[in-house]
Amino acid sequence: MSIGVFDSGIGGLTVLKEIRKVLPDEKIYYLGDTARVPYGEKTKELIIRYSKEIVEFLLEKNVSAIVVACNTATALALKELKETFKIPIIGVIEAGARTAINTTKSGKIGVIGTKATIQSGKYKEEIKLFNKKVEVLQKACPLFVPAVEEGILSGKLVNQIITTYLDDFKGKIDTLILGCTHYPLLKDAISKIYPDIKIVDPAKETALDLKEILEQNEFLKNDAKKNEEVKYYVTDGQEKFKEIGIMFLEENIPRVELVKL
Ligand code: DGN
C-alpha cells in the first residue's frame, strides 16, 4: 500500500510531515510541481489540468489514496479530481474548516491563503456547511510565500508583512486558519504578534482524516514494513527543493527525482 501526496511545490512538505507522524510505516510518493509553482496566481482551468496530470503520475506508482497537500489545488481542483478518479482523494480545506469550527469560541474565524484560495471562497463555504452563523473574514497574503522561501521567518521585515496583512483582523477574530501550506512556518511569528488568536494548521487534521480513510478502506495492513521511505519527485530544481525542504520537513531529503509531466 502506498500514498500519493502532491503540492504546487515545496509547501506540501508541512502536510507530509504530519502524515509521517500518523502513518510512519506507509510508503509515500511526494510530488512538488516546482516548475509550475506558484498555483496561487493561476486560473482554475490550469490548476485543474496540472492537478490531473499529477494524479495520473501518482496513479502510475500504484498509490491507493492521494492527498492534495495544497490549499490552492484543493480549493480549485479537488471536486474535479474526485469526479475523475476512482481512488480516495482528500484535500486540506475540509479538515481546516472543521478544526477552526471546533476551536472558535467567538464564532469569528479568519482565513488567510493565496489569492486563488481566498477568491474561491472555499474555506468560507466549508465553514458555513458546519455552522451557518459563524462569521468568516478572509485575506490573501501573497508576500508570505516568498518570505518563507527566503527563510525570513522572524524579525522586523516579516513582522511588518504580517501586521500589514493581519492588523485588520485584530479584535475581530479569535481563530485564524493558515490556508496555505507555506504559512505554518510563520506560525510562531504570527502568534507572537497576536497571542490571543488561536492558529489552526489544517495539516494535522488532514493526516488524521487520511488515516481514517485508509482504515475504512482496509488499506492498512499489520504486515506493513516499518518506517517506509518517502520518494520525492519535482518538476524542476532538485537541489533547491532539497535545500529549502529541510526547513519545511525538519529532516534531510536525501534524493529527489526529476519528472516531466
Ligand atoms: N501550496 C500552495 C497552497 O497551499 O496554497 C501555496 C504555494 C503557491 O502555489 N503559491
mmCIF file with all atom_site columns, all heavy atoms in Angstrom, residues 211-226:
data_model
loop_
_atom_site.group_PDB
_atom_site.id
_atom_site.type_symbol
_atom_site.label_atom_id
_atom_site.label_alt_id
_atom_site.label_comp_id
_atom_site.label_asym_id
_atom_site.label_entity_id
_atom_site.label_seq_id
_atom_site.pdbx_PDB_ins_code
_atom_site.Cartn_x
_atom_site.Cartn_y
_atom_site.Cartn_z
_atom_site.occupancy
_atom_site.B_iso_or_equiv
_atom_site.pdbx_formal_charge
_atom_site.auth_seq_id
_atom_site.auth_comp_id
_atom_site.auth_asym_id
_atom_site.auth_atom_id
_atom_site.pdbx_PDB_model_num
ATOM 1   N N   . LYS A 1 211 ? -5.713  8.828  7.676  1.00 0.00 ? 211 LYS A N   1
ATOM 2   C CA  . LYS A 1 211 ? -5.607  7.548  8.385  1.00 0.00 ? 211 LYS A CA  1
ATOM 3   C C   . LYS A 1 211 ? -6.980  6.882  8.477  1.00 0.00 ? 211 LYS A C   1
ATOM 4   O O   . LYS A 1 211 ? -7.121  5.672  8.235  1.00 0.00 ? 211 LYS A O   1
ATOM 5   C CB  . LYS A 1 211 ? -5.019  7.775  9.779  1.00 0.00 ? 211 LYS A CB  1
ATOM 6   C CG  . LYS A 1 211 ? -4.703  6.488  10.485 1.00 0.00 ? 211 LYS A CG  1
ATOM 7   C CD  . LYS A 1 211 ? -3.927  6.706  11.754 1.00 0.00 ? 211 LYS A CD  1
ATOM 8   C CE  . LYS A 1 211 ? -3.625  5.371  12.393 1.00 0.00 ? 211 LYS A CE  1
ATOM 9   N NZ  . LYS A 1 211 ? -3.798  5.379  13.829 1.00 0.00 ? 211 LYS A NZ  1
ATOM 10  N N   . GLU A 1 212 ? -7.978  7.671  8.787  1.00 0.00 ? 212 GLU A N   1
ATOM 11  C CA  . GLU A 1 212 ? -9.334  7.128  8.931  1.00 0.00 ? 212 GLU A CA  1
ATOM 12  C C   . GLU A 1 212 ? -9.820  6.542  7.596  1.00 0.00 ? 212 GLU A C   1
ATOM 13  O O   . GLU A 1 212 ? -10.385 5.439  7.566  1.00 0.00 ? 212 GLU A O   1
ATOM 14  C CB  . GLU A 1 212 ? -10.261 8.254  9.395  1.00 0.00 ? 212 GLU A CB  1
ATOM 15  C CG  . GLU A 1 212 ? -11.529 7.749  10.037 1.00 0.00 ? 212 GLU A CG  1
ATOM 16  C CD  . GLU A 1 212 ? -12.422 8.895  10.459 1.00 0.00 ? 212 GLU A CD  1
ATOM 17  O OE1 . GLU A 1 212 ? -11.925 9.831  11.112 1.00 0.00 ? 212 GLU A OE1 1
ATOM 18  O OE2 . GLU A 1 212 ? -13.611 8.837  10.104 1.00 0.00 ? 212 GLU A OE2 1
ATOM 19  N N   . ILE A 1 213 ? -9.560  7.235  6.513  1.00 0.00 ? 213 ILE A N   1
ATOM 20  C CA  . ILE A 1 213 ? -9.990  6.751  5.187  1.00 0.00 ? 213 ILE A CA  1
ATOM 21  C C   . ILE A 1 213 ? -9.270  5.444  4.835  1.00 0.00 ? 213 ILE A C   1
ATOM 22  O O   . ILE A 1 213 ? -9.867  4.496  4.328  1.00 0.00 ? 213 ILE A O   1
ATOM 23  C CB  . ILE A 1 213 ? -9.727  7.832  4.122  1.00 0.00 ? 213 ILE A CB  1
ATOM 24  C CG1 . ILE A 1 213 ? -10.759 8.948  4.286  1.00 0.00 ? 213 ILE A CG1 1
ATOM 25  C CG2 . ILE A 1 213 ? -9.788  7.268  2.698  1.00 0.00 ? 213 ILE A CG2 1
ATOM 26  C CD1 . ILE A 1 213 ? -10.497 10.163 3.456  1.00 0.00 ? 213 ILE A CD1 1
ATOM 27  N N   . LEU A 1 214 ? -7.993  5.381  5.149  1.00 0.00 ? 214 LEU A N   1
ATOM 28  C CA  . LEU A 1 214 ? -7.228  4.158  4.859  1.00 0.00 ? 214 LEU A CA  1
ATOM 29  C C   . LEU A 1 214 ? -7.764  2.991  5.681  1.00 0.00 ? 214 LEU A C   1
ATOM 30  O O   . LEU A 1 214 ? -7.882  1.872  5.192  1.00 0.00 ? 214 LEU A O   1
ATOM 31  C CB  . LEU A 1 214 ? -5.737  4.365  5.135  1.00 0.00 ? 214 LEU A CB  1
ATOM 32  C CG  . LEU A 1 214 ? -5.024  5.430  4.310  1.00 0.00 ? 214 LEU A CG  1
ATOM 33  C CD1 . LEU A 1 214 ? -3.554  5.514  4.684  1.00 0.00 ? 214 LEU A CD1 1
ATOM 34  C CD2 . LEU A 1 214 ? -5.144  5.166  2.818  1.00 0.00 ? 214 LEU A CD2 1
ATOM 35  N N   . GLU A 1 215 ? -8.115  3.286  6.940  1.00 0.00 ? 215 GLU A N   1
ATOM 36  C CA  . GLU A 1 215 ? -8.673  2.233  7.804  1.00 0.00 ? 215 GLU A CA  1
ATOM 37  C C   . GLU A 1 215 ? -10.033 1.765  7.284  1.00 0.00 ? 215 GLU A C   1
ATOM 38  O O   . GLU A 1 215 ? -10.289 0.569  7.184  1.00 0.00 ? 215 GLU A O   1
ATOM 39  C CB  . GLU A 1 215 ? -8.808  2.747  9.244  1.00 0.00 ? 215 GLU A CB  1
ATOM 40  C CG  . GLU A 1 215 ? -7.485  2.674  9.991  1.00 0.00 ? 215 GLU A CG  1
ATOM 41  C CD  . GLU A 1 215 ? -7.487  3.504  11.283 1.00 0.00 ? 215 GLU A CD  1
ATOM 42  O OE1 . GLU A 1 215 ? -8.480  4.193  11.565 1.00 0.00 ? 215 GLU A OE1 1
ATOM 43  O OE2 . GLU A 1 215 ? -6.468  3.479  11.980 1.00 0.00 ? 215 GLU A OE2 1
ATOM 44  N N   . GLN A 1 216 ? -10.861 2.732  6.916  1.00 0.00 ? 216 GLN A N   1
ATOM 45  C CA  . GLN A 1 216 ? -12.198 2.387  6.405  1.00 0.00 ? 216 GLN A CA  1
ATOM 46  C C   . GLN A 1 216 ? -12.110 1.503  5.163  1.00 0.00 ? 216 GLN A C   1
ATOM 47  O O   . GLN A 1 216 ? -12.914 0.615  4.957  1.00 0.00 ? 216 GLN A O   1
ATOM 48  C CB  . GLN A 1 216 ? -12.967 3.658  6.011  1.00 0.00 ? 216 GLN A CB  1
ATOM 49  C CG  . GLN A 1 216 ? -13.622 4.364  7.166  1.00 0.00 ? 216 GLN A CG  1
ATOM 50  C CD  . GLN A 1 216 ? -14.072 5.773  6.790  1.00 0.00 ? 216 GLN A CD  1
ATOM 51  O OE1 . GLN A 1 216 ? -13.952 6.199  5.643  1.00 0.00 ? 216 GLN A OE1 1
ATOM 52  N NE2 . GLN A 1 216 ? -14.573 6.490  7.769  1.00 0.00 ? 216 GLN A NE2 1
ATOM 53  N N   . ASN A 1 217 ? -11.120 1.773  4.330  1.00 0.00 ? 217 ASN A N   1
ATOM 54  C CA  . ASN A 1 217 ? -10.959 1.004  3.093  1.00 0.00 ? 217 ASN A CA  1
ATOM 55  C C   . ASN A 1 217 ? -10.119 -0.259 3.294  1.00 0.00 ? 217 ASN A C   1
ATOM 56  O O   . ASN A 1 217 ? -9.784  -0.944 2.337  1.00 0.00 ? 217 ASN A O   1
ATOM 57  C CB  . ASN A 1 217 ? -10.305 1.868  2.008  1.00 0.00 ? 217 ASN A CB  1
ATOM 58  C CG  . ASN A 1 217 ? -11.285 2.872  1.436  1.00 0.00 ? 217 ASN A CG  1
ATOM 59  O OD1 . ASN A 1 217 ? -12.097 2.548  0.584  1.00 0.00 ? 217 ASN A OD1 1
ATOM 60  N ND2 . ASN A 1 217 ? -11.231 4.084  1.939  1.00 0.00 ? 217 ASN A ND2 1
ATOM 61  N N   . GLU A 1 218 ? -9.758  -0.499 4.541  1.00 0.00 ? 218 GLU A N   1
ATOM 62  C CA  . GLU A 1 218 ? -8.919  -1.640 4.916  1.00 0.00 ? 218 GLU A CA  1
ATOM 63  C C   . GLU A 1 218 ? -7.612  -1.679 4.124  1.00 0.00 ? 218 GLU A C   1
ATOM 64  O O   . GLU A 1 218 ? -7.144  -2.721 3.687  1.00 0.00 ? 218 GLU A O   1
ATOM 65  C CB  . GLU A 1 218 ? -9.708  -2.949 4.757  1.00 0.00 ? 218 GLU A CB  1
ATOM 66  C CG  . GLU A 1 218 ? -10.892 -2.973 5.705  1.00 0.00 ? 218 GLU A CG  1
ATOM 67  C CD  . GLU A 1 218 ? -11.679 -4.268 5.671  1.00 0.00 ? 218 GLU A CD  1
ATOM 68  O OE1 . GLU A 1 218 ? -11.315 -5.157 4.891  1.00 0.00 ? 218 GLU A OE1 1
ATOM 69  O OE2 . GLU A 1 218 ? -12.656 -4.360 6.428  1.00 0.00 ? 218 GLU A OE2 1
ATOM 70  N N   . PHE A 1 219 ? -7.055  -0.492 3.921  1.00 0.00 ? 219 PHE A N   1
ATOM 71  C CA  . PHE A 1 219 ? -5.777  -0.397 3.207  1.00 0.00 ? 219 PHE A CA  1
ATOM 72  C C   . PHE A 1 219 ? -4.591  -0.631 4.148  1.00 0.00 ? 219 PHE A C   1
ATOM 73  O O   . PHE A 1 219 ? -3.498  -0.943 3.720  1.00 0.00 ? 219 PHE A O   1
ATOM 74  C CB  . PHE A 1 219 ? -5.610  0.984  2.566  1.00 0.00 ? 219 PHE A CB  1
ATOM 75  C CG  . PHE A 1 219 ? -6.474  1.217  1.358  1.00 0.00 ? 219 PHE A CG  1
ATOM 76  C CD1 . PHE A 1 219 ? -6.894  2.496  1.021  1.00 0.00 ? 219 PHE A CD1 1
ATOM 77  C CD2 . PHE A 1 219 ? -6.851  0.159  0.537  1.00 0.00 ? 219 PHE A CD2 1
ATOM 78  C CE1 . PHE A 1 219 ? -7.690  2.716  -0.101 1.00 0.00 ? 219 PHE A CE1 1
ATOM 79  C CE2 . PHE A 1 219 ? -7.633  0.373  -0.596 1.00 0.00 ? 219 PHE A CE2 1
ATOM 80  C CZ  . PHE A 1 219 ? -8.054  1.651  -0.900 1.00 0.00 ? 219 PHE A CZ  1
ATOM 81  N N   . LEU A 1 220 ? -4.833  -0.407 5.453  1.00 0.00 ? 220 LEU A N   1
ATOM 82  C CA  . LEU A 1 220 ? -3.708  -0.538 6.384  1.00 0.00 ? 220 LEU A CA  1
ATOM 83  C C   . LEU A 1 220 ? -3.571  -1.987 6.835  1.00 0.00 ? 220 LEU A C   1
ATOM 84  O O   . LEU A 1 220 ? -4.479  -2.546 7.427  1.00 0.00 ? 220 LEU A O   1
ATOM 85  C CB  . LEU A 1 220 ? -3.912  0.364  7.603  1.00 0.00 ? 220 LEU A CB  1
ATOM 86  C CG  . LEU A 1 220 ? -3.911  1.865  7.333  1.00 0.00 ? 220 LEU A CG  1
ATOM 87  C CD1 . LEU A 1 220 ? -4.157  2.628  8.613  1.00 0.00 ? 220 LEU A CD1 1
ATOM 88  C CD2 . LEU A 1 220 ? -2.609  2.309  6.707  1.00 0.00 ? 220 LEU A CD2 1
ATOM 89  N N   . LYS A 1 221 ? -2.442  -2.559 6.533  1.00 0.00 ? 221 LYS A N   1
ATOM 90  C CA  . LYS A 1 221 ? -2.226  -3.964 6.906  1.00 0.00 ? 221 LYS A CA  1
ATOM 91  C C   . LYS A 1 221 ? -1.191  -4.030 8.025  1.00 0.00 ? 221 LYS A C   1
ATOM 92  O O   . LYS A 1 221 ? -0.264  -3.221 8.085  1.00 0.00 ? 221 LYS A O   1
ATOM 93  C CB  . LYS A 1 221 ? -1.677  -4.747 5.692  1.00 0.00 ? 221 LYS A CB  1
ATOM 94  C CG  . LYS A 1 221 ? -2.611  -4.755 4.490  1.00 0.00 ? 221 LYS A CG  1
ATOM 95  C CD  . LYS A 1 221 ? -3.472  -6.009 4.499  1.00 0.00 ? 221 LYS A CD  1
ATOM 96  C CE  . LYS A 1 221 ? -4.328  -6.171 3.285  1.00 0.00 ? 221 LYS A CE  1
ATOM 97  N NZ  . LYS A 1 221 ? -5.218  -5.111 2.896  1.00 0.00 ? 221 LYS A NZ  1
ATOM 98  N N   . ASN A 1 222 ? -1.381  -5.009 8.902  1.00 0.00 ? 222 ASN A N   1
ATOM 99  C CA  . ASN A 1 222 ? -0.438  -5.133 10.022 1.00 0.00 ? 222 ASN A CA  1
ATOM 100 C C   . ASN A 1 222 ? 0.948   -5.571 9.581  1.00 0.00 ? 222 ASN A C   1
ATOM 101 O O   . ASN A 1 222 ? 1.915   -5.374 10.291 1.00 0.00 ? 222 ASN A O   1
ATOM 102 C CB  . ASN A 1 222 ? -0.979  -6.123 11.050 1.00 0.00 ? 222 ASN A CB  1
ATOM 103 C CG  . ASN A 1 222 ? -2.195  -5.561 11.737 1.00 0.00 ? 222 ASN A CG  1
ATOM 104 O OD1 . ASN A 1 222 ? -2.299  -4.341 11.880 1.00 0.00 ? 222 ASN A OD1 1
ATOM 105 N ND2 . ASN A 1 222 ? -3.118  -6.429 12.109 1.00 0.00 ? 222 ASN A ND2 1
ATOM 106 N N   . ASP A 1 223 ? 1.009   -6.162 8.376  1.00 0.00 ? 223 ASP A N   1
ATOM 107 C CA  . ASP A 1 223 ? 2.314   -6.669 7.942  1.00 0.00 ? 223 ASP A CA  1
ATOM 108 C C   . ASP A 1 223 ? 3.129   -5.596 7.196  1.00 0.00 ? 223 ASP A C   1
ATOM 109 O O   . ASP A 1 223 ? 4.127   -5.900 6.553  1.00 0.00 ? 223 ASP A O   1
ATOM 110 C CB  . ASP A 1 223 ? 2.144   -7.916 7.055  1.00 0.00 ? 223 ASP A CB  1
ATOM 111 C CG  . ASP A 1 223 ? 1.297   -7.625 5.830  1.00 0.00 ? 223 ASP A CG  1
ATOM 112 O OD1 . ASP A 1 223 ? 0.742   -6.507 5.752  1.00 0.00 ? 223 ASP A OD1 1
ATOM 113 O OD2 . ASP A 1 223 ? 1.197   -8.510 4.967  1.00 0.00 ? 223 ASP A OD2 1
ATOM 114 N N   . ALA A 1 224 ? 2.702   -4.333 7.294  1.00 0.00 ? 224 ALA A N   1
ATOM 115 C CA  . ALA A 1 224 ? 3.444   -3.262 6.595  1.00 0.00 ? 224 ALA A CA  1
ATOM 116 C C   . ALA A 1 224 ? 4.868   -3.193 7.139  1.00 0.00 ? 224 ALA A C   1
ATOM 117 O O   . ALA A 1 224 ? 5.106   -3.479 8.307  1.00 0.00 ? 224 ALA A O   1
ATOM 118 C CB  . ALA A 1 224 ? 2.740   -1.934 6.822  1.00 0.00 ? 224 ALA A CB  1
ATOM 119 N N   . LYS A 1 225 ? 5.793   -2.816 6.249  1.00 0.00 ? 225 LYS A N   1
ATOM 120 C CA  . LYS A 1 225 ? 7.179   -2.683 6.690  1.00 0.00 ? 225 LYS A CA  1
ATOM 121 C C   . LYS A 1 225 ? 7.279   -1.508 7.648  1.00 0.00 ? 225 LYS A C   1
ATOM 122 O O   . LYS A 1 225 ? 6.460   -0.598 7.614  1.00 0.00 ? 225 LYS A O   1
ATOM 123 C CB  . LYS A 1 225 ? 8.056   -2.383 5.473  1.00 0.00 ? 225 LYS A CB  1
ATOM 124 C CG  . LYS A 1 225 ? 8.421   -3.596 4.682  1.00 0.00 ? 225 LYS A CG  1
ATOM 125 C CD  . LYS A 1 225 ? 9.665   -3.278 3.872  1.00 0.00 ? 225 LYS A CD  1
ATOM 126 C CE  . LYS A 1 225 ? 9.393   -3.344 2.395  1.00 0.00 ? 225 LYS A CE  1
ATOM 127 N NZ  . LYS A 1 225 ? 10.427  -2.728 1.584  1.00 0.00 ? 225 LYS A NZ  1
ATOM 128 N N   . LYS A 1 226 ? 8.307   -1.546 8.501  1.00 0.00 ? 226 LYS A N   1
ATOM 129 C CA  . LYS A 1 226 ? 8.458   -0.448 9.456  1.00 0.00 ? 226 LYS A CA  1
ATOM 130 C C   . LYS A 1 226 ? 9.197   0.703  8.780  1.00 0.00 ? 226 LYS A C   1
ATOM 131 O O   . LYS A 1 226 ? 10.104  0.489  7.975  1.00 0.00 ? 226 LYS A O   1
ATOM 132 C CB  . LYS A 1 226 ? 9.252   -0.916 10.680 1.00 0.00 ? 226 LYS A CB  1
ATOM 133 C CG  . LYS A 1 226 ? 8.466   -1.893 11.533 1.00 0.00 ? 226 LYS A CG  1
ATOM 134 C CD  . LYS A 1 226 ? 7.359   -1.198 12.337 1.00 0.00 ? 226 LYS A CD  1
ATOM 135 C CE  . LYS A 1 226 ? 6.321   -2.177 12.831 1.00 0.00 ? 226 LYS A CE  1
ATOM 136 N NZ  . LYS A 1 226 ? 4.937   -1.861 12.576 1.00 0.00 ? 226 LYS A NZ  1
#
